[in-house]
Amino acid sequence: RPSQQGVLHLHSSLQYAITTPTQSAFLTVESTLCEGVRLLTIRPTFLVINRTGEDVTVRGEIQPELTVKNKAHKEADIEKKEKPAIVVTSNGTLPLFWWPQVARGGGHLTHHILLSSSSSTPSPRFLLPLDRDARHCTTLPASPPESTRPVLVASHREKSQVYIVILPDPQPQAFLH
């Protein structure tokens, strides 16, 4: 049974989720007309673009909205397992398919991303809204273990695809030494 039902008009696109009990994959299905033939293109919904000088490990997570009902329910979190992550090389682009579900509850799913350098501790979770663009400033551990590198994480939505761009922050508000 499809996880999402909808009508795909001739010149439109929609997001489609493939779900398992503990994770989901998100795809974008686009319809166009090419020389009288309807063409369906299936793409990953989330693309991560790393424009920094070093590799970045990216992990996505989904959880139900934090509503009063979900907070009162206090359902047990899904058991702790190693969460899949992707390593996006410097100036590289990779799709982020699988998003593990980290909590149970009802309502719409919210998307979060975590960044880290190689084996370092991940950055705080960033909410990734799907209905608007977002921008977050954070730091990642740099090559000398005592230093950090400031980065910007920006998301942009275009034709039902979400581009997550990681950029070096050219004007950070502060440097910590």
Side-chain angles (χ1 to χ4, degrees), residues 67-76 104-106:
T67 62
V68 174
K69 181 181 175 185
N70 284 345
K71 287 180 184 175
H73 236 5
K74 295 283 187 191
E75 289 190 42
R104 293 190 175 128

Side-chain angles (χ1 to χ4, degrees), residues 11 21 23 37 52 54 92 95 112 116:
H11 294 285
Q23 61 185 354
V37 176
T52 66
E54 297 181 35
H112 299 83
S116 64

Side-chain angles (χ1 to χ4, degrees), residues 4-26:
Q4 176 180 348
Q5 295 182 1
V7 175
L8 182 60
H9 298 285
L10 188 56
H11 294 285
S12 67
S13 61
L14 64 83
Q15 286 183 350
Y16 191 82
I18 300 170
T19 59
T20 70
T22 59
Q23 61 185 354
S24 296
F26 298 93

Side-chain angles (χ1 to χ4, degrees), residues 5-171:
Q5 295 182 1
V7 175
L8 182 60
H9 298 285
L10 188 56
H11 294 285
S12 67
S13 61
L14 64 83
Q15 286 183 350
Y16 191 82
I18 300 170
T19 59
T20 70
T22 59
Q23 61 185 354
S24 296
F26 298 93
L27 301 170
T28 297
V29 182
E30 184 178 359
S31 173
T32 56
L33 192 62
C34 181
E35 297 179 10
V37 176
R38 186 173 188 178
L39 179 66
L40 295 178
T41 306
I42 301 172
R43 296 186 179 124
T45 297
F46 299 93
L47 286 175
V48 181
I49 303 157
N50 179 10
R51 294 294 176 244
T52 66
E54 297 181 35
D55 297 353
V56 175
T57 302
V58 181
R59 190 175 78 217
E61 295 180 347
I62 54 174
Q63 73 177 39
E65 289 180 294
L66 292 178
T67 62
V68 174
K69 181 181 175 185
N70 284 345
K71 287 180 184 175
H73 236 5
K74 295 283 187 191
E75 289 190 42
D77 282 351
I78 294 173
E79 64 183 78
K80 305 283 183 203
K81 290 184 180 176
E82 189 62 31
K83 311 268 186 318
I86 59 171
V87 177
V88 186
T89 59
S90 175
N91 292 313
T93 301
L94 277 180
L96 185 57
F97 280 114
W98 290 103
W99 294 69
Q101 187 166 344
V102 295
R104 293 190 175 128
H108 295 288
L109 294 176
T110 58
H111 294 73
H112 299 83
I113 57 171
L114 296 94
L115 305 176
S116 64
S117 295
S118 58
S119 62
S120 67
T121 306
S123 66
R125 291 169 33 140
F126 296 115
L127 176 64
L128 187 65
L130 300 183
D131 57 345
R132 59 184 164 80
D133 293 349
R135 178 182 163 166
H136 301 283
C137 299
T138 190
T139 59
L140 295 174
S143 297
E146 307 83 35
S147 64
T148 60
R149 59 187 167 122
V151 295
L152 295 171
V153 180
S155 69
H156 175 71
R157 185 180 171 115
E158 180 82 23
K159 292 185 180 178
S160 295
Q161 278 191 294
V162 179
Y163 298 91
I164 303 165
V165 183
I166 306 165
L167 301 160
D169 191 346
Q171 296 180 328

